[in-house]
Each structure stands twice: as C-alpha cells, then as structure tokens.
Amino acid sequence: MQKGCLDDSSYHVNMIINLLMRFPEIFTVTYNLGASSYCLSYMIKGKVVQEDYISLRRRLEENLEAYCYFKKKDNCKIRLGKEHYGCFTRLEVKLAGGNLTGEEISLITRLIHDAFGPNLISELRPDDVDLEDGVSTWEEMMSLISNRDSGSEVNKLFAFREAGKVYVYDDQ
C-alpha cells in the first residue's frame, strides 16, 4: 500500500472513531471515501410511525437549510430513511459530499433526540436488548444492518460502537 493511501485511510478512520466517541447516540457510520458521503444511523426503541417520521424529516431539512444559509454552505441536502428491526427502528441520515462539521452532526443528533427522547438508544449493548423477528444473536443483527447494501459502492468504511469500543471495517 502506498504511503498516501495509508495516511488518507488513517485520517478517515480516526474521523469516524471521533464521531462515534463524541456522539454515542449514533448507532453506525458508513463513510464512502470516493463520494465523501456519510450515512449516520440512529436506533430507536419501538416502531417510528409515519407522521413522526415525516415531521422529523421536515424539521431536519428546515434546520439544516437555515444552518447552511447562515454558514454560507452550498450543499446541505440530506436523505432520511427508516427500517424496522423487530422492536427497533433504525433511522438513516444520508449526507452527500463535502466536509461534515461537528456542528451539523450535533444539530442532527439534537433534533433526533428531541423527537424521540428516551427512546433514542445512546449506546446499544448486547445484554440490554431483546432481539425479535428471526434475529437470535447480536452478530446476526449487525450482519443484517451492515450487509444491506453491500456491493453497491466501493471504498466504504463501516463503524459502530459497542460497550465503549468503536469497531471500524472496510466495507468492500
């Protein structure tokens, strides 16, 4: 491996580790190096109903638009997605291109926290969870989540936090 590649990878790995350590509410981070895009996921206890989901999406868009206006940033487009896993909902916030600041992540995390309060899981520990719907182990759940879109993009880093440790994988 060339020295430049190692330095670039190390920078991105450290950035993701810092993100997960600073924001324990973030369940996983997927970072596409080629596109400089992020997918932050948050885990919510229970199923998020459609009206709460639409309300959150609207608030995220409005707040990020205002943030970008005042910071004079061009690109603050996000996509919000949700998936149900047994008695949990995983919210995905996809942010395309450019540099993502701690202020933006803090704003996103705060809005999600405000919307779901105590149902937002801050750090998922395997012993604290009752898995349902055909998922019998924690490893199966992480495999389901991390392999959902495998093969669609290359040069991705996938990271999650468990019991105070951050795990980063090359998701190719």
Side-chain angles (χ1 to χ4, degrees):
M1 182 180 277
Q2 297 175 349
K3 184 180 184 333
C5 293
L6 181 61
D7 290 343
D8 290 344
S9 293
S10 296
Y11 168 77
H12 296 296
V13 168
N14 287 331
M15 176 189 61
I16 291 170
I17 290 170
N18 287 334
L19 256 177
L20 287 169
M21 294 305 291
R22 183 171 172 203
F23 299 99
E25 300 88 354
I26 298 175
F27 183 64
T28 64
V29 176
T30 304
Y31 178 67
N32 182 322
L33 280 77
S36 293
S37 63
Y38 300 83
C39 178
L40 309 174
S41 72
Y42 298 83
M43 195 63 84
I44 311 297
K45 291 179 193 171
K47 291 195 176 190
V48 174
V49 296
Q50 192 65 15
E51 70 180 38
D52 291 341
Y53 173 75
I54 291 170
S55 174
L56 174 65
R57 185 177 62 206
R58 188 184 78 255
R59 287 182 40 211
L60 281 168
E61 289 170 352
E62 290 171 353
N63 280 275
L64 282 172
E65 185 178 322
Y67 172 84
C68 287
Y69 175 78
F70 287 114
K71 291 291 186 172
K72 298 182 179 13
K73 288 185 73 171
D74 292 333
N75 188 10
C76 278
K77 300 288 182 193
I78 66 162
R79 287 187 309 162
L80 185 64
K82 72 173 177 166
E83 287 193 45
H84 299 287
Y85 295 95
C87 59
F88 297 99
T89 302
R90 181 176 67 150
L91 295 176
E92 290 184 333
V93 179
K94 296 177 182 177
L95 304 141
N99 294 328
L100 190 62
T101 66
E103 291 174 332
E104 290 169 83
I105 296 172
S106 183
L107 175 62
I108 292 166
T109 302
R110 185 78 231 166
L111 289 169
I112 291 173
H113 184 271
D114 289 348
F116 300 106
N119 290 330
L120 175 62
I121 297 172
S122 185
E123 180 181 347
L124 195 56
R125 298 172 194 264
D127 299 336
D128 298 339
V129 181
D130 294 326
L131 299 173
E132 294 180 6
D133 292 346
V135 179
S136 60
T137 67
W138 180 250
E139 288 76 21
E140 285 179 32
M141 185 173 188
M142 289 309 297
S143 176
L144 261 176
I145 292 170
S146 65
N147 291 331
R148 192 172 59 87
D149 287 325
S150 64
S152 64
E153 296 175 292
V154 293
N155 296 322
K156 290 195 303 185
L157 295 174
F158 174 78
F160 67 96
R161 178 183 168 140
E162 178 187 349
K165 296 178 185 174
V166 173
Y167 300 90
V168 180
Y169 296 95
D170 185 2
D171 190 22
Q172 291 190 27

